[in-house]
Amino acid sequence: MSRMRPDDELFDEVLLRRALRLEASELPPRLGVAAIAARAEERPLGLATFASSLFAGLATAALLAIGVVAIWALAPVVAGDTFATAISLVASVAVPLEPAVRTMEQPTIPIAALAAVAFAVAYEYHTRKERANV
């Protein structure tokens, strides 16, 4: 391992910065849409272009067909899992509510609830009349 003093540098910073700068002549040419279109019109469509387009089209068609087949095969499984999840969710909510539902099925509870609502309405009308008289 060589020993370097802290003030030693491998490269002079000024020279390194100058070397990394690109001159105007060294810049890559810009992409021009007009130049690309003009160049494309110059070349006639060859067999290689046709073959690559055909291969790309066939690959796209094959991928789409595989995707449709995969979705067609997975749809029943996903639908079944979704239906099973929905049923288990309804059951998990219904089990704790069962005693309350059983209580509400008794004929006295709805009659008592209706009577309570009727008494509350009558009480509200009575208190409003008293306020108006005062």
Side-chain angles (χ1 to χ4, degrees), residues 28-48:
R30 293 185 180 209
L31 291 176
V33 177
I36 293 172
R39 182 123 181 179
E41 289 176 1
E42 287 177 7
R43 296 181 182 175
L45 292 177
L47 181 62

Side-chain angles (χ1 to χ4, degrees), residues 27-132:
L27 291 176
R30 293 185 180 209
L31 291 176
V33 177
I36 293 172
R39 182 123 181 179
E41 289 176 1
E42 287 177 7
R43 296 181 182 175
L45 292 177
L47 181 62
T49 305
F50 176 73
S52 65
S53 298
L54 181 68
F55 181 73
L58 289 175
T60 303
L63 285 174
L64 287 175
I66 289 170
V68 167
V69 168
I71 289 172
W72 194 264
L74 291 176
V77 175
V78 171
D81 287 345
T82 305
F83 190 61
T85 303
I87 289 175
S88 67
L89 180 65
V90 168
S92 66
V93 170
V95 169
L97 292 179
E98 193 265 333
V101 171
R102 192 174 344 123
T103 304
M104 290 296 182
E105 288 176 347
Q106 301 297 323
T108 56
I109 299 295
I111 292 171
L114 286 174
V117 169
F119 284 123
V121 169
Y123 178 75
E124 285 294 320
Y125 279 137
H126 178 68
T127 56
R128 285 186 187 167
K129 286 182 183 177
E130 285 182 1
R131 288 186 200 149

Side-chain angles (χ1 to χ4, degrees), residues 14-39:
V14 176
L15 291 175
L16 185 60
R17 286 183 183 269
R18 277 190 203 143
L20 291 175
R21 283 192 201 128
L22 291 175
E23 300 296 326
S25 61
E26 295 176 350
L27 291 176
R30 293 185 180 209
L31 291 176
V33 177
I36 293 172
R39 182 123 181 179

